[in-house]
Amino acid sequence: MSETTSSSLPAIDMLGVVLDEHLRWIGQWHRAAFYRDGRGGERASAPASFAAWCGAASRDDLVHQPAVQKLASLHEQMHRQARLVLLKASGGDTPTEAEYEAVIARFEEFTLHLRRLERAFGAAASGLDPLTGLRTRRGMLEALEREHNRYSRTGQTFCLALADIDKFKVINDTYGHDIGDRVLAATAAVISRGVRSFDEAFRMGGEEFLVCLKETDMAEGFAVIERLRVDLMESPVPLPDGRLVPVTASFGLVEVRTGLSIDELIVCADRALYQAKHSGRNRVVRHGVDRPAPLPPDSAGVKPSRPRA
């Protein structure tokens, strides 16, 4: 594939081109370093393909992603070390084993990270969150609108539940973001196990999830979400040293009603979640059913901000 053709592709599709050209390049580099006095190992094709990919990543507004920046750093380090070896070879000196291994280690790290990035971008393009395996906001409203249209046609009710992991910032600050990611994945697993195969679950972003319970009224929906809440509370996340991280979540539940759009239903679920957070967390609040706890006397007339932890 020519550079002109490849540079017009989306960034996700160009990663395969970058990988293929670097696999060819490493063979050329081997021959140049050990058999050709450093000549022919730094062909422009491999660096040019990566530069074209960076341009596409910039167009797709991906260039500031940490994973993209790491790949660019690995690429620069790999080619810098490779050029130093070729420069030494061109002067008649055989590269040392340590110099050779340094280039190969960077090459392996670069290709491994590139493949991971390719999988992550592929998952994102498909509407799946690579960390949790749940669907993302991409396509969520479309899926919910289909269920809302079915309700309008048939009268078959459904419920939406908005969930937010309690004190997630504290988990990240205490144990680190790697453990935070484990908590997100574990929470998604509990949600996936706890709903029926035809229900739908989404990662809204951050530590927030949305569940669509089909053919379900408020009473049935409360039973399902309460069971999810208990399952999550009883499923602490293990640390490498054997300790357990307790995890709970707060839930806001709403049942579809005539005259409310999907956006309005989500707002209602968010209000119930707000109430659950201010009522002590680790609970399910049903919109329009559960009365809010009274505010302290000194806060009358003041609406506190919803805690996101």
Side-chain angles (χ1 to χ4, degrees):
M1 180 179 291
S2 69
E3 180 186 340
T4 300
T5 304
S6 65
S7 63
S8 63
L9 294 173
I12 180 177
D13 296 327
M14 291 180 63
L15 283 172
V17 177
V18 172
L19 178 60
D20 288 344
E21 293 204 353
H22 275 81
L23 290 173
R24 288 194 293 270
W25 165 79
I26 196 66
Q28 297 164 359
W29 178 83
H30 273 105
R31 290 188 291 273
F34 293 97
Y35 304 108
R36 297 178 182 172
D37 298 327
R39 295 188 298 273
E42 274 294 335
R43 288 182 55 187
S45 59
S49 69
F50 190 77
W53 178 79
C54 287
S58 180
R59 290 195 306 272
D60 294 348
D61 200 25
L62 300 171
V63 72
H64 298 300
Q65 294 285 339
V68 173
Q69 293 177 344
K70 180 179 179 180
L71 188 68
S73 176
L74 289 172
H75 181 268
E76 193 277 331
Q77 294 169 21
M78 175 181 67
H79 281 288
R80 184 177 67 246
Q81 291 177 332
R83 283 192 293 270
L84 291 174
V85 168
L86 295 180
L87 182 62
K88 184 175 181 179
S90 67
D93 294 328
T94 302
T96 66
E97 182 176 357
E99 291 168 335
Y100 170 79
E101 290 294 346
V103 175
I104 296 304
R106 280 288 178 265
F107 174 77
E108 291 175 347
E109 189 177 4
F110 172 76
T111 55
L112 177 63
H113 192 69
L114 190 151
R115 290 182 189 278
R116 286 175 177 169
L117 198 60
E118 189 174 30
R119 287 195 298 270
F121 281 3
S126 68
L128 292 178
D129 174 42
L131 177 62
T132 64
L134 298 180
R135 296 171 67 184
T136 64
R137 281 180 177 270
R138 180 188 178 101
M140 182 189 73
L141 290 179
E142 181 180 349
L144 297 182
E145 285 292 352
R146 286 197 299 268
E147 190 62 22
H148 195 269
N149 290 338
R150 190 164 76 100
Y151 164 73
S152 299
R153 293 194 311 272
T154 67
Q156 184 64 65
T157 190
F158 67 93
C159 289
L160 298 183
L162 202 57
D164 190 275
I165 299 175
D166 295 327
K167 299 185 178 179
F168 185 70
K169 184 178 185 302
V170 175
I171 293 175
N172 271 337
D173 292 345
T174 303
Y175 302 103
H177 289 277
D178 287 345
I179 300 303
D181 285 349
R182 288 193 190 188
V183 168
L184 289 169
T187 301
V190 169
I191 292 173
S192 297
R193 290 195 306 267
V195 299
R196 299 159 299 184
S197 59
F198 57 85
D199 293 325
E200 297 190 82
F202 307 87
R203 183 181 178 193
M204 294 279 286
E207 65 271 26
E208 198 165 70
F209 302 85
L210 184 141
V211 180
C212 177
L213 300 173
K214 301 180 180 181
E215 302 177 13
T216 302
D217 61 21
M218 180 66 85
E220 296 167 329
F222 179 77
V224 172
I225 299 302
E226 175 64 15
R227 187 171 64 248
L228 281 181
R229 183 191 67 79
V230 174
D231 287 348
L232 184 62
M233 182 175 61
E234 295 178 348
S235 304
V237 175
L239 296 177
D241 61 8
R243 290 179 298 162
L244 298 176
V245 179
V247 181
T248 65
S250 302
F251 298 82
L253 180 68
V254 63
E255 181 182 352
V256 65
R257 296 201 309 271
T258 301
L260 289 182
S261 67
I262 286 296
D263 286 340
E264 290 168 329
L265 286 171
I266 293 175
V267 168
C268 290
D270 189 68
R271 288 173 179 167
L273 176 56
Y274 166 93
Q275 183 179 329
K277 289 289 188 181
H278 278 281
S279 299
R281 302 183 177 88
N282 188 25
R283 64 193 61 209
V284 182
V285 169
R286 296 163 292 181
H287 183 267
V289 176
D290 298 312
R291 295 177 61 85
L295 293 172
D298 60 351
S299 62
V302 178
K303 181 179 179 181
S305 61
R306 170 179 154 196
R308 307 305 290 178

